[in-house]
Amino acid sequence: MSNLDAHPAEQDCLAKGDPGPVIEFHEARDVPLGGVRGVHVMRTLPQRVLPTVGAWCFLDHFGPQTTPMTVNPHPHIGLQTVTWPFEGEIHHRDSVGSDAVVRPGQLNLMTAGRGIAHSEIGVPGSPVGHGLQLWTALPADQRQITPHFEQHQKLPVYEQPGLRAIVFLGTLDNVTSPATTYSPIVGADLTVNPGAEVTIPLTHYYEHAVLVIDGDLTAVDTPVPAGPLLYLGTGRSELTLSSHGGAHVILLGGEPFREDIVMWWNFVGRTHEEIEEARADWEKRDLDRFPDIAGHTVEERIPAPPLPGIRLKPRGRGR
Ligand code: MN
């Protein structure tokens, strides 16, 4: 998916310290993505005071919606896009020649590195579109790597009585996703059974967050509604979850991302100039950096919004 916001706010993010175990709710923002169909998403990352959770720097929950997803060609740099559908199928095409349909339970992972363009279109006949689009920030020494795409149709599962967790990225306990990662991270899709109380082992030095997609959940003795992101900080070696009627939950975590990053539109960089250059390369159709995508016309490319009239510069997290 793209950040299609016509006037994206500057999202510059200072590296943050180690908060320790906390319990904070961060409200989702209802973001209209524009376009003729008026699709909108619920965005819980980045937050002004919480730019990242581990390397996770973007979290959009889209749908359930019957309007098909239509995200035409647009560029990315410095990040990975993680497409995780709950319902419906999405057709991905990109500028390194990938052409793949992703289905629920499968992962599309695109590593933008120095630059890639892609499109994501709901497959006709998929009645409902519902899922997540996430980004991870690439560490500075990896952010210029060659762009590539991978799809994982079979992902490992962490299980215990009352819980089934698909590990789509990184490691949960002793279960590791085959998807390529660039920092210590975890992303898992949890099904908590009705009446279950489970305790999941966590990596102590990671920070973690929980997003309830559906159902009722209590986490660390705190009721967690669907919608906001529950941020749990660092320094936890386990997480106890319970549900009366069952719950569908996303668990994200990772080593706190200590680098300053500048996020604007679909780019993650380190400086204003880097973002400005990527925008210019897209706008002038630099085919070395962003080759055309087979199956799309040039007219379908999404134009970059204007840069804000101020320099993109770091903003504090307030910890
Ligand atoms: Mn995208």
Side-chain angles (χ1 to χ4, degrees), residues 101-133:
V101 171
V102 65
R103 300 179 174 83
Q106 303 176 350
L107 172 72
N108 270 7
L109 177 65
M110 186 179 79
T111 302
R114 66 185 182 86
I116 196 167
H118 75 150
S119 66
E120 290 182 294
I121 312 285
V123 172
S126 287
V128 175
H130 187 200
L132 297 182
Q133 164 82 172

Tab-separated table of all heavy atoms in Angstrom, residues 101-133:
chain	number	residue	atom	x	y	z
A	101	VAL	N	0.244	-12.679	-6.467
A	101	VAL	CA	-0.986	-12.487	-5.698
A	101	VAL	C	-0.755	-13.020	-4.289
A	101	VAL	O	-0.266	-14.141	-4.115
A	101	VAL	CB	-2.174	-13.210	-6.363
A	101	VAL	CG1	-3.398	-13.194	-5.449
A	101	VAL	CG2	-2.503	-12.565	-7.708
A	102	VAL	N	-1.075	-12.206	-3.293
A	102	VAL	CA	-0.930	-12.648	-1.899
A	102	VAL	C	-2.314	-12.905	-1.314
A	102	VAL	O	-3.262	-12.171	-1.583
A	102	VAL	CB	-0.131	-11.627	-1.056
A	102	VAL	CG1	-0.880	-10.296	-0.916
A	102	VAL	CG2	0.210	-12.209	0.307
A	103	ARG	N	-2.401	-13.994	-0.563
A	103	ARG	CA	-3.673	-14.437	0.016
A	103	ARG	C	-3.557	-14.449	1.546
A	103	ARG	O	-2.449	-14.465	2.083
A	103	ARG	CB	-3.996	-15.843	-0.492
A	103	ARG	CG	-4.127	-15.891	-2.007
A	103	ARG	CD	-4.417	-17.276	-2.561
A	103	ARG	NE	-4.668	-17.176	-4.004
A	103	ARG	CZ	-3.721	-17.142	-4.948
A	103	ARG	NH1	-2.445	-17.252	-4.616
A	103	ARG	NH2	-4.048	-17.005	-6.224
A	104	PRO	N	-4.690	-14.460	2.254
A	104	PRO	CA	-4.628	-14.508	3.721
A	104	PRO	C	-3.764	-15.665	4.215
A	104	PRO	O	-3.826	-16.775	3.677
A	104	PRO	CB	-6.097	-14.699	4.107
A	104	PRO	CG	-6.852	-14.017	3.014
A	104	PRO	CD	-6.069	-14.310	1.750
A	105	GLY	N	-2.937	-15.362	5.205
A	105	GLY	CA	-2.005	-16.360	5.726
A	105	GLY	C	-0.658	-16.349	5.037
A	105	GLY	O	0.264	-17.042	5.451
A	106	GLN	N	-0.563	-15.560	3.961
A	106	GLN	CA	0.690	-15.434	3.225
A	106	GLN	C	1.245	-14.026	3.414
A	106	GLN	O	0.495	-13.078	3.671
A	106	GLN	CB	0.477	-15.692	1.733
A	106	GLN	CG	-0.144	-17.045	1.434
A	106	GLN	CD	-0.432	-17.233	-0.063
A	106	GLN	OE1	-0.348	-16.295	-0.853
A	106	GLN	NE2	-0.755	-18.464	-0.425
A	107	LEU	N	2.554	-13.903	3.232
A	107	LEU	CA	3.243	-12.632	3.443
A	107	LEU	C	3.849	-12.137	2.140
A	107	LEU	O	4.564	-12.880	1.465
A	107	LEU	CB	4.367	-12.840	4.465
A	107	LEU	CG	5.315	-11.654	4.675
A	107	LEU	CD1	4.611	-10.533	5.422
A	107	LEU	CD2	6.570	-12.095	5.422
A	108	ASN	N	3.577	-10.885	1.800
A	108	ASN	CA	4.370	-10.185	0.794
A	108	ASN	C	5.324	-9.246	1.518
A	108	ASN	O	4.886	-8.425	2.335
A	108	ASN	CB	3.483	-9.372	-0.155
A	108	ASN	CG	3.033	-10.172	-1.369
A	108	ASN	OD1	3.269	-11.385	-1.442
A	108	ASN	ND2	2.382	-9.513	-2.313
A	109	LEU	N	6.614	-9.379	1.200
A	109	LEU	CA	7.643	-8.561	1.840
A	109	LEU	C	8.498	-7.948	0.744
A	109	LEU	O	9.120	-8.668	-0.034
A	109	LEU	CB	8.510	-9.432	2.755
A	109	LEU	CG	9.671	-8.713	3.442
A	109	LEU	CD1	9.161	-7.655	4.416
A	109	LEU	CD2	10.556	-9.725	4.172
A	110	MET	N	8.494	-6.624	0.690
A	110	MET	CA	9.268	-5.923	-0.335
A	110	MET	C	10.302	-5.043	0.345
A	110	MET	O	9.967	-4.174	1.143
A	110	MET	CB	8.335	-5.070	-1.201
A	110	MET	CG	9.033	-4.427	-2.387
A	110	MET	SD	7.886	-3.447	-3.382
A	110	MET	CE	7.783	-1.963	-2.373
A	111	THR	N	11.563	-5.298	0.026
A	111	THR	CA	12.658	-4.527	0.605
A	111	THR	C	13.063	-3.461	-0.401
A	111	THR	O	13.600	-3.772	-1.466
A	111	THR	CB	13.832	-5.456	0.953
A	111	THR	OG1	13.371	-6.464	1.866
A	111	THR	CG2	14.962	-4.680	1.598
A	112	ALA	N	12.770	-2.211	-0.062
A	112	ALA	CA	12.958	-1.125	-1.025
A	112	ALA	C	14.419	-0.781	-1.227
A	112	ALA	O	14.829	-0.415	-2.328
A	112	ALA	CB	12.190	0.116	-0.555
A	113	GLY	N	15.231	-0.873	-0.161
A	113	GLY	CA	16.629	-0.472	-0.276
A	113	GLY	C	16.747	0.898	-0.905
A	113	GLY	O	16.055	1.838	-0.517
A	114	ARG	N	17.602	0.999	-1.946
A	114	ARG	CA	17.856	2.330	-2.534
A	114	ARG	C	16.691	2.832	-3.382
A	114	ARG	O	16.618	4.021	-3.704
A	114	ARG	CB	19.131	2.297	-3.365
A	114	ARG	CG	19.047	1.412	-4.586
A	114	ARG	CD	20.377	1.312	-5.317
A	114	ARG	NE	20.251	0.492	-6.503
A	114	ARG	CZ	19.847	0.970	-7.683
A	114	ARG	NH1	19.538	2.238	-7.817
A	114	ARG	NH2	19.757	0.166	-8.705
A	115	GLY	N	15.768	1.924	-3.759
A	115	GLY	CA	14.592	2.408	-4.487
A	115	GLY	C	13.862	1.313	-5.225
A	115	GLY	O	14.469	0.460	-5.869
A	116	ILE	N	12.537	1.342	-5.122
A	116	ILE	CA	11.687	0.396	-5.839
A	116	ILE	C	10.341	1.088	-6.035
A	116	ILE	O	10.005	2.031	-5.297
A	116	ILE	CB	11.540	-0.930	-5.048
A	116	ILE	CG1	11.005	-2.059	-5.937
A	116	ILE	CG2	10.659	-0.748	-3.818
A	116	ILE	CD1	11.143	-3.454	-5.304
A	117	ALA	N	9.590	0.633	-7.014
A	117	ALA	CA	8.201	1.081	-7.172
A	117	ALA	C	7.321	-0.154	-7.232
A	117	ALA	O	7.761	-1.215	-7.695
A	117	ALA	CB	8.038	1.912	-8.437
A	118	HIS	N	6.088	-0.024	-6.724
A	118	HIS	CA	5.174	-1.151	-6.793
A	118	HIS	C	3.730	-0.681	-6.871
A	118	HIS	O	3.424	0.492	-6.678
A	118	HIS	CB	5.379	-2.126	-5.616
A	118	HIS	CG	4.855	-1.667	-4.292
A	118	HIS	ND1	4.393	-2.533	-3.323
A	118	HIS	CD2	4.739	-0.434	-3.752
A	118	HIS	CE1	4.009	-1.858	-2.261
A	118	HIS	NE2	4.215	-0.591	-2.481
A	119	SER	N	2.861	-1.644	-7.195
A	119	SER	CA	1.424	-1.404	-7.145
A	119	SER	C	0.792	-2.547	-6.383
A	119	SER	O	1.334	-3.665	-6.347
A	119	SER	CB	0.834	-1.330	-8.556
A	119	SER	OG	0.929	-2.588	-9.206
A	120	GLU	N	-0.359	-2.261	-5.738
A	120	GLU	CA	-1.120	-3.299	-5.041
A	120	GLU	C	-2.590	-3.093	-5.371
A	120	GLU	O	-3.176	-2.061	-5.024
A	120	GLU	CB	-0.865	-3.245	-3.534
A	120	GLU	CG	0.550	-3.701	-3.174
A	120	GLU	CD	0.807	-3.700	-1.686
A	120	GLU	OE1	0.804	-2.608	-1.088
A	120	GLU	OE2	1.018	-4.776	-1.115
A	121	ILE	N	-3.158	-4.079	-6.045
A	121	ILE	CA	-4.522	-3.973	-6.550
A	121	ILE	C	-5.317	-5.167	-6.023
A	121	ILE	O	-4.876	-6.317	-6.153
A	121	ILE	CB	-4.537	-4.012	-8.100
A	121	ILE	CG1	-3.494	-3.063	-8.706
A	121	ILE	CG2	-5.939	-3.748	-8.631
A	121	ILE	CD1	-3.836	-1.602	-8.668
A	122	GLY	N	-6.498	-4.877	-5.433
A	122	GLY	CA	-7.369	-5.953	-4.985
A	122	GLY	C	-7.764	-6.831	-6.173
A	122	GLY	O	-8.078	-6.323	-7.250
A	123	VAL	N	-7.719	-8.141	-5.984
A	123	VAL	CA	-8.044	-9.063	-7.073
A	123	VAL	C	-9.549	-9.032	-7.312
A	123	VAL	O	-10.330	-9.213	-6.361
A	123	VAL	CB	-7.569	-10.490	-6.728
A	123	VAL	CG1	-8.065	-11.501	-7.764
A	123	VAL	CG2	-6.047	-10.528	-6.625
A	124	PRO	N	-9.981	-8.793	-8.559
A	124	PRO	CA	-11.415	-8.809	-8.850
A	124	PRO	C	-12.031	-10.138	-8.416
A	124	PRO	O	-11.432	-11.195	-8.626
A	124	PRO	CB	-11.469	-8.652	-10.372
A	124	PRO	CG	-10.172	-8.015	-10.744
A	124	PRO	CD	-9.173	-8.522	-9.747
A	125	GLY	N	-13.184	-10.064	-7.778
A	125	GLY	CA	-13.798	-11.291	-7.277
A	125	GLY	C	-13.501	-11.525	-5.805
A	125	GLY	O	-14.139	-12.358	-5.179
A	126	SER	N	-12.507	-10.800	-5.242
A	126	SER	CA	-12.298	-10.838	-3.799
A	126	SER	C	-13.286	-9.855	-3.185
A	126	SER	O	-13.115	-8.647	-3.329
A	126	SER	CB	-10.873	-10.408	-3.437
A	126	SER	OG	-9.951	-11.389	-3.765
A	127	PRO	N	-14.347	-10.331	-2.546
A	127	PRO	CA	-15.422	-9.423	-2.154
A	127	PRO	C	-15.024	-8.445	-1.057
A	127	PRO	O	-15.539	-7.350	-1.001
A	127	PRO	CB	-16.529	-10.362	-1.680
A	127	PRO	CG	-15.844	-11.640	-1.327
A	127	PRO	CD	-14.632	-11.737	-2.186
A	128	VAL	N	-14.133	-8.846	-0.190
A	128	VAL	CA	-13.784	-8.008	0.951
A	128	VAL	C	-12.273	-7.838	1.006
A	128	VAL	O	-11.520	-8.799	0.846
A	128	VAL	CB	-14.284	-8.635	2.270
A	128	VAL	CG1	-13.812	-7.811	3.466
A	128	VAL	CG2	-15.798	-8.736	2.269
A	129	GLY	N	-11.866	-6.597	1.208
A	129	GLY	CA	-10.451	-6.327	1.447
A	129	GLY	C	-10.258	-5.970	2.904
A	129	GLY	O	-10.922	-5.083	3.439
A	130	HIS	N	-9.361	-6.664	3.585
A	130	HIS	CA	-9.141	-6.440	5.010
A	130	HIS	C	-7.735	-6.925	5.341
A	130	HIS	O	-7.376	-8.047	4.988
A	130	HIS	CB	-10.169	-7.244	5.825
A	130	HIS	CG	-10.139	-6.952	7.291
A	130	HIS	ND1	-10.662	-7.806	8.230
A	130	HIS	CD2	-9.642	-5.892	7.986
A	130	HIS	CE1	-10.495	-7.290	9.439
A	130	HIS	NE2	-9.884	-6.129	9.312
A	131	GLY	N	-6.969	-6.082	5.998
A	131	GLY	CA	-5.623	-6.525	6.351
A	131	GLY	C	-4.769	-5.406	6.891
A	131	GLY	O	-5.274	-4.347	7.293
A	132	LEU	N	-3.480	-5.681	6.920
A	132	LEU	CA	-2.503	-4.733	7.434
A	132	LEU	C	-1.472	-4.421	6.373
A	132	LEU	O	-1.086	-5.280	5.578
A	132	LEU	CB	-1.739	-5.313	8.634
A	132	LEU	CG	-2.490	-5.667	9.895
A	132	LEU	CD1	-1.486	-6.158	10.934
A	132	LEU	CD2	-3.288	-4.483	10.419
A	133	GLN	N	-1.033	-3.163	6.403
A	133	GLN	CA	0.166	-2.775	5.695
A	133	GLN	C	1.105	-2.185	6.731
A	133	GLN	O	0.757	-1.236	7.453
A	133	GLN	CB	-0.153	-1.734	4.624
A	133	GLN	CG	1.037	-1.007	4.102
A	133	GLN	CD	1.818	-1.734	3.020
A	133	GLN	OE1	2.707	-1.172	2.429
A	133	GLN	NE2	1.488	-2.975	2.730
